[in-house]
């Protein structure tokens, strides 16, 4: 996106998509539209609007019964954490990253996101000069090996 108008167009498209999927009652695509909308807001520095969009997505995810929608929860938690991390609110960011990392299915379903979350947690501890939690780095590395990804903590 090279132009602010590109973001305005993306915002409008995401809002239209959300409305369309809401009328069709397709929660997984409602969530994806809200996540995209949050990403657009975050890109143009409208952090409060980004968080609002991500939290709307979370409320849909929490009420959903289909697994495709539920799988988006940890991505959304990571996105909210990223907004707070970029605002240097590391403790709040850690709250969201830790919520996502506690999902016992994450390692199996999305090991790359698991590595990203550990990176984000490490970054927040580094920047806040806090003590890092005990992490089994071998477990993180082995969970990401199938994708040839290494996360150093």
């Amino acid at each position: 996106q090279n132009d602010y108008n590109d973001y305005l167009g993306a915002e409008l498209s995401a809002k239209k998509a959300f409305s369309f999927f809401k009328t069709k009652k397709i929660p997984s695509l409602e969530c994806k539209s809200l996540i995209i909308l949050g990403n657009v807001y975050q890109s143009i520095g409208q952090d409060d609007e980004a968080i609002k969009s991500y939290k709307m997505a979370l409320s849909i995810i929490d009420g959903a019964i289909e697994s495709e929608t539920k799988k988006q929860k940890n991505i959304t938690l990571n996105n909210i954490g990223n907004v707070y991390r970029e605002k240097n609110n590391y403790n709040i960011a850690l709250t969201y990253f830790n919520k996502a990392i506690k999902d016992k299915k994450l390692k199996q379903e999305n090991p790359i996101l698991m590595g990203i979350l550990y990176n984000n947690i490490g970054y927040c501890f580094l920047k806040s000069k806090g003590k890092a939690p005990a992490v089994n780095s071998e477990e993180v590395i082995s969970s990401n090996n199938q994708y040839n990804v290494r996360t150093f903590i």
Side-chain angles (χ1 to χ4, degrees):
Q1 304 290 343
N2 296 328
D3 189 322
Y4 188 77
N5 290 327
D6 292 343
Y7 288 105
L8 295 178
E11 175 189 14
L12 180 61
S13 295
K15 285 181 175 180
K16 284 182 178 180
F18 171 72
S19 295
F20 176 78
F21 294 129
K22 187 172 184 161
T23 60
K24 297 295 182 184
K25 298 184 182 352
I26 308 173
S28 64
L29 296 178
E30 285 178 58
C31 288
K32 287 182 182 179
S33 299
L34 288 168
I35 291 167
I36 290 169
L37 185 58
N39 292 343
V40 169
Y41 285 136
Q42 189 175 358
S43 295
I44 58 175
Q46 292 184 9
D47 295 337
D48 293 338
E49 289 299 314
I51 290 170
K52 182 179 171 184
S53 294
Y54 294 141
K55 287 187 175 182
M56 283 177 62
L58 276 181
S59 69
I60 293 168
I61 292 165
D62 288 338
I65 52 175
E66 73 217 31
S67 65
E68 184 59 33
T69 304
K70 293 237 177 243
K71 288 180 181 178
Q72 297 177 59
K73 183 170 188 168
N74 296 322
I75 293 168
T76 306
L77 290 168
N78 181 62
N79 288 351
I80 294 171
N82 283 335
V83 174
Y84 285 111
R85 186 196 70 214
E86 289 177 13
K87 293 173 71 168
N88 300 328
N89 291 332
Y90 301 116
N91 287 333
I92 297 172
L94 284 167
T95 301
Y96 286 97
F97 297 145
N98 283 321
K99 281 182 189 178
I101 209 85
K102 287 181 182 175
D103 183 346
K104 296 188 185 313
K105 296 179 188 174
L106 181 62
K107 181 178 178 181
Q108 212 48 37
E109 290 180 355
N110 198 341
I112 292 174
L113 179 60
M114 185 175 178
I116 290 168
L117 286 161
Y118 278 126
N119 263 347
N120 287 338
I121 290 168
Y123 181 84
C124 287
F125 276 107
L126 176 70
K127 288 299 194 176
S128 65
K129 297 181 177 37
K131 287 189 170 185
V135 174
N136 182 344
S137 59
E138 290 302 315
E139 180 181 321
V140 174
I141 291 168
S142 68
S143 73
N144 289 312
N145 265 347
Q146 73 187 62
Y147 299 100
N148 199 23
V149 174
R150 289 225 187 288
T151 304
F152 298 98
I153 298 174

